Amino acid sequence: NAGVTQTPKFRVLKTGQSMTLLCAQDMNHEYMYWYRQDPGMGLRLIHYSVGEGTTAKGEVPDGYNVSRLKKQNFLLGLESAAPSQTSVYFCASSYVGSGDPYNEQFFGPGTRLTVL
Amino acid sequence: QQPVQSPQAVILREGEDAVINCSSSKALYSVHWYRQKHGEAPVFLMILLKGGEQKGHDKISASFNEKKQQSSLYLTASQLSYSGTYFCGTAKTSYDKVIFGPGTSLSVIP
């Protein structure tokens, strides 16, 4: 039982390049999330998904796209990377939504992305 | 809208108590608390739902005052292992997404 895994762990991109971050969970969770973490800003929600085939925008969705083709995977894409997207990206998953007393988000180890 | 956390940072000696506050200008349905140690992923502590309940987790407890739209996290007799950044997350309804605050850095020294 690996929990939530993220690939890659580190990546350096040049401005304008594209890449995809992969998140996988083996807990059969319905909900999945992508956050970015910057110093002093906390965790900011980029996009999230409430089930296979569904996605929704979070607080800071511009410049990112996501897909949830399989229940266990949630992909985050950067089509044309910019220096402002330098950050640590965390993926998380939960079995139920925010209003449920058993809502607990399980986070992956993070991906450190630098855009030059 | 991001919740506000206070203080931004706090330094404690082992055995001292601390309170971290989380407030919102909007009516809240739930408050979620997480702790993140340096270089690691955030870890869930507890969730409080609308109703003003209080919860405990070892020597860490929390309350939720829905009238004030505020939650407080209480750390009693702090241990070195309590060091980290504490995040509160809030949701306005039972189906809303959770929005996290900027975090409170807590350092416990011997």
Side-chain angles (χ1 to χ4, degrees), chain A residues 37 41 98-99 101 104-105 108, chain B residues 2 34 36 41 47 87 94 96:
Chain A
Q37 185 172 37
M41 302 294 291
S98 64
E104 173 182 351
Q105 292 188 31
Chain B
Q2 212 178 28
Y34 286 75
Q36 183 180 31
I47 177 176
F87 293 100
S94 62
D96 194 15

Side-chain angles (χ1 to χ4, degrees), chain B residues 21-36:
Chain B
N21 297 308
C22 173
S23 63
S24 172
S25 59
K26 306 284 187 182
L28 298 177
Y29 181 84
S30 60
V31 180
H32 310 240
W33 286 98
Y34 286 75
R35 176 171 63 201
Q36 183 180 31

Side-chain angles (χ1 to χ4, degrees), chain B:
Chain B
Q1 187 175 5
Q2 212 178 28
V4 175
Q5 289 188 234
S6 62
Q8 284 187 322
V10 59
I11 300 175
L12 300 173
R13 290 198 178 277
E14 269 187 294
E16 292 182 337
D17 301 339
V19 180
I20 299 173
N21 297 308
C22 173
S23 63
S24 172
S25 59
K26 306 284 187 182
L28 298 177
Y29 181 84
S30 60
V31 180
H32 310 240
W33 286 98
Y34 286 75
R35 176 171 63 201
Q36 183 180 31
K37 299 196 175 184
H38 184 69
E40 299 182 6
V43 174
F44 175 79
L45 291 176
M46 65 189 77
I47 177 176
L48 299 101
L49 300 183
K50 186 176 179 179
E53 64 178 288
Q54 184 156 349
K55 277 197 172 180
H57 183 270
D58 194 11
K59 293 182 180 176
I60 300 175
S61 61
S63 63
F64 178 21
N65 185 328
E66 62 186 85
K67 289 184 179 179
K68 291 185 177 181
Q69 311 310 324
Q70 180 176 320
S71 177
S72 296
L73 186 72
Y74 307 95
L75 297 97
T76 305
S78 59
Q79 307 166 15
L80 294 176
S81 61
Y82 286 4
S83 293
T85 301
Y86 290 77
F87 293 100
C88 75
T90 59
K92 299 191 294 294
T93 67
S94 62
Y95 49 86
D96 194 15
K97 53 190 179 290
V98 176
I99 302 298
F100 286 95
T104 294
S105 173
L106 186 141
S107 300
V108 181
I109 58 176

Side-chain angles (χ1 to χ4, degrees), chain A residues 51-92:
Chain A
E52 181 179 321
T54 72
T55 62
K57 293 180 180 180
E59 300 171 84
V60 289
D62 293 343
Y64 305 95
N65 56 74
V66 289
S67 64
R68 182 106 182 262
L69 298 179
K70 293 183 178 180
K71 186 177 182 179
Q72 65 267 34
N73 295 337
F74 196 27
L75 279 63
L76 178 71
L78 286 74
E79 290 187 349
S80 180
S84 61
Q85 294 178 304
T86 293
S87 187
V88 178
Y89 291 85
F90 284 101
C91 174

Side-chain angles (χ1 to χ4, degrees), chain A residues 14-86:
Chain A
K14 293 182 179 178
T15 297
Q17 287 185 319
S18 63
M19 78 162 294
T20 300
L21 281 67
L22 170 64
C23 176
Q25 52 94 5
D26 61 2
M27 296 174 282
N28 200 35
H29 285 172
E30 289 292 337
Y31 297 73
M32 295 188 76
Y33 317 84
W34 275 108
Y35 295 93
R36 61 177 289 173
Q37 185 172 37
D38 304 291
M41 302 294 291
L43 295 157
R44 290 186 293 171
L45 183 65
I46 304 172
H47 285 281
Y48 64 103
S49 168
V50 300
E52 181 179 321
T54 72
T55 62
K57 293 180 180 180
E59 300 171 84
V60 289
D62 293 343
Y64 305 95
N65 56 74
V66 289
S67 64
R68 182 106 182 262
L69 298 179
K70 293 183 178 180
K71 186 177 182 179
Q72 65 267 34
N73 295 337
F74 196 27
L75 279 63
L76 178 71
L78 286 74
E79 290 187 349
S80 180
S84 61
Q85 294 178 304
T86 293

